[in-house]
Amino acid sequence: MNSSNKASISSVITELVGHLSQLPGIGPKTAERLAFHIIKTPESKITSLSQSLMKAKQQLTFCKNCFIVTENDPCSICSNEFRDHKTLCIVHNSIDAYAIENTNTYSGSYHILNGSISPINGIGPNELTISQLLMRINNNLPNEIIIATNPTIEGDATSTYIINQIKNDEVKITRLAIGIPIGGDLDYTDNKTLTQAFNSRQPIR
Amino acid sequence: MNSSNKASISSVITELVGHLSQLPGIGPKTAERLAFHIIKTPESKITSLSQSLMKAKQQLTFCKNCFIVTENDPCSICSNEFRDHKTLCIVHNSIDAYAIENTNTYSGSYHILNGSISPINGIGPNELTISQLLMRINNNLPNEIIIATNPTIEGDATSTYIINQIKNDEVKITRLAIGIPIGGDLDYTDNKTLTQAFNSRQPIR
């Protein structure tokens, strides 16, 4: 017997496992579990999922203004006249903007960088949408630019690079607060976060 | 702003996330990551995945003999004359049989129980394929029945029930060895496993 024997039980499952395990975060074991789940799932649900995947692939694009993943260009945020287009929140990826949208606290617009500066991965400023960001800032000077990059080495490098590129002194630049997350444990908080939380302590009264 | 605002950015993504997060082991966060991954994936790959899902749903069925998930009935194991049909390995699910097949150590046939006896979940012997197993044993008495249920309370209950139902004394019944897994650490091995490993110790010379 050899490993091709597995295929001989069900080539359909082997094929599906192959496709599923190419998805990010889906290992071969999860892929196998998902594939076997199919047999217990009503056909209508699988049809919906399958159609939904195709629809997403065919309809999703990037907003040419803010570069968010959307089916509308310009996106519903950029084209929404009730939003504050004088406030610009800069994030790495669309999923970050969606996360902020989920909080229901922000009503400005976004700019999606499409990644972070990472020399080790060969990603420099030109691979990101930084030139488009600077053009946006020039064309319509914001009152405030909120840097919402990740508080990581790469996120900080990206943020520093962008801040240096914004030559206009009139624009206010802010960044998201760094501190202990809600539900977090001081004891388990790393030194750097704790230091930042101390330094950025807020007056209570 | 309310939570429906998220849908307003991209209803296509919201829909896909909804479908994906119904899959087992895929939480809303993973579903969201998967959905955003689509935009970076070539359309051909998404088409293949989508078609593969539909194909699996339409073609997969259960082998009427051993109840394994397969597109052929009888399955390629039951219909393979080179396999040993006098040895029967009893497992909970098809995925377990596939795991055993992957080891390339077993060339007998299988019987898939389709779950385990679990009174707390309302699953009794009648919900499993135990009557069909007993019929198979009666029709073609195996030389050996290998119990490969999980070494858990539910797996043990299922195994005990099945053993009690096999009235024929001629048939040899074995179970998979319990012990320390390869790469395991004695220090981290639970008491029951360690006890079993001691009691089942093997002569070296």
Side-chain angles (χ1 to χ4, degrees), chain B residues 1-203:
Chain B
M1 294 209 284
N2 57 48
S3 63
S4 68
N5 224 34
K6 193 188 176 190
S8 75
I9 309 185
S10 169
S11 59
V12 173
I13 287 188
T14 310
E15 188 192 312
L16 181 57
V17 168
H19 288 302
L20 287 171
S21 54
Q22 284 176 24
L23 296 172
I26 309 272
K29 210 68 203 167
T30 310
E32 210 164 52
R33 282 189 178 273
L34 285 176
F36 279 103
H37 174 74
I38 300 284
I39 191 106
K40 290 181 270 177
T41 312
E43 181 157 355
S44 62
K45 282 205 174 180
I46 301 299
T47 310
S48 308
L49 170 60
S50 171
Q51 286 170 348
S52 187
L53 279 165
M54 287 309 296
K55 197 167 137 190
K57 184 62 212 172
Q58 283 157 0
Q59 298 187 7
L60 289 181
T61 178
F62 294 104
C63 169
K64 282 195 191 64
N65 189 44
C66 74
F67 297 94
I68 201 167
V69 171
T70 172
E71 64 265 34
N72 307 305
D73 178 23
C75 72
S76 59
I77 294 173
C78 288
S79 60
N80 185 341
E81 57 180 301
F82 297 107
R83 292 191 71 122
D84 171 13
H85 296 292
K86 284 289 189 183
T87 306
L88 204 55
C89 178
I90 302 176
V91 292
H92 291 299
N93 298 305
S94 296
I95 202 166
D96 302 327
Y98 277 67
I100 295 173
E101 282 300 288
N102 261 355
T103 65
N104 295 333
T105 47
Y106 181 65
S107 59
S109 51
Y110 292 96
H111 191 86
I112 318 294
L113 295 170
N114 264 333
S116 49
I117 294 176
S118 169
I120 212 166
N121 295 313
I123 301 174
N126 296 336
E127 272 70 49
L128 308 182
T129 62
I130 294 178
S131 59
Q132 292 92 331
L133 167 66
L134 299 173
M135 221 183 303
R136 272 182 85 181
I137 294 173
N138 269 341
N139 292 344
N140 177 16
L141 193 71
N143 295 326
E144 182 178 355
I145 295 175
I146 304 169
I147 310 269
T149 54
N150 291 334
T152 57
I153 294 176
E154 294 182 352
D156 288 346
T158 312
S159 139
T160 308
Y161 180 86
I162 291 171
I163 293 166
N164 287 336
Q165 295 292 310
I166 302 172
K167 306 294 180 195
N168 198 309
D169 286 341
E170 290 167 53
V171 59
K172 180 178 160 193
I173 305 179
T174 56
R175 66 179 287 188
L176 296 192
I178 291 189
I180 304 148
I182 289 174
D185 192 327
L186 243 78
D187 194 23
Y188 283 89
T189 305
D190 66 287
N191 280 342
K192 284 185 182 167
T193 304
L194 207 49
T195 307
Q196 290 259 11
F198 249 97
N199 294 343
S200 314
R201 64 190 179 279
Q202 302 282 312

Side-chain angles (χ1 to χ4, degrees), chain A residues 156-176:
Chain A
D156 288 347
T158 311
S159 139
T160 306
Y161 180 86
I162 292 170
I163 293 165
N164 286 338
Q165 295 292 310
I166 302 172
K167 308 292 180 194
N168 199 310
D169 286 341
E170 288 166 54
V171 59
K172 181 178 159 191
I173 305 178
T174 56
R175 66 179 289 188
L176 297 192

Side-chain angles (χ1 to χ4, degrees), chain A residues 1 6 8-12 15-16 19 22 38 41 45 48 50 52 55 57 71 76 98 102 106, chain B residues 1 6 8-12 15 19 22 38 41 45 48 50 52 55 57 71 76 98 102 106:
Chain A
M1 291 208 285
K6 195 188 173 188
S8 74
I9 310 185
S10 170
S11 60
V12 173
E15 187 193 313
L16 181 56
H19 287 303
Q22 284 177 24
I38 301 283
T41 312
K45 282 204 175 181
S48 308
S50 169
S52 188
K55 198 167 137 189
K57 184 62 212 173
E71 64 265 36
S76 58
Y98 277 68
N102 260 356
Y106 180 65
Chain B
M1 294 209 284
K6 193 188 176 190
S8 75
I9 309 185
S10 169
S11 59
V12 173
E15 188 192 312
H19 288 302
Q22 284 176 24
I38 300 284
T41 312
K45 282 205 174 180
S48 308
S50 171
S52 187
K55 197 167 137 190
K57 184 62 212 172
E71 64 265 34
S76 59
Y98 277 67
N102 261 355
Y106 181 65

Side-chain angles (χ1 to χ4, degrees), chain A residues 13-66:
Chain A
I13 287 188
T14 309
E15 187 193 313
L16 181 56
V17 168
H19 287 303
L20 287 171
S21 54
Q22 284 177 24
L23 296 172
I26 309 272
K29 210 69 203 164
T30 311
E32 208 164 52
R33 284 191 176 272
L34 285 175
F36 280 103
H37 174 74
I38 301 283
I39 192 105
K40 290 181 269 177
T41 312
E43 181 157 355
S44 63
K45 282 204 175 181
I46 301 298
T47 310
S48 308
L49 170 60
S50 169
Q51 286 171 348
S52 188
L53 278 166
M54 286 309 295
K55 198 167 137 189
K57 184 62 212 173
Q58 283 156 0
Q59 298 187 7
L60 288 181
T61 177
F62 294 103
C63 170
K64 281 195 192 65
N65 190 43
C66 75

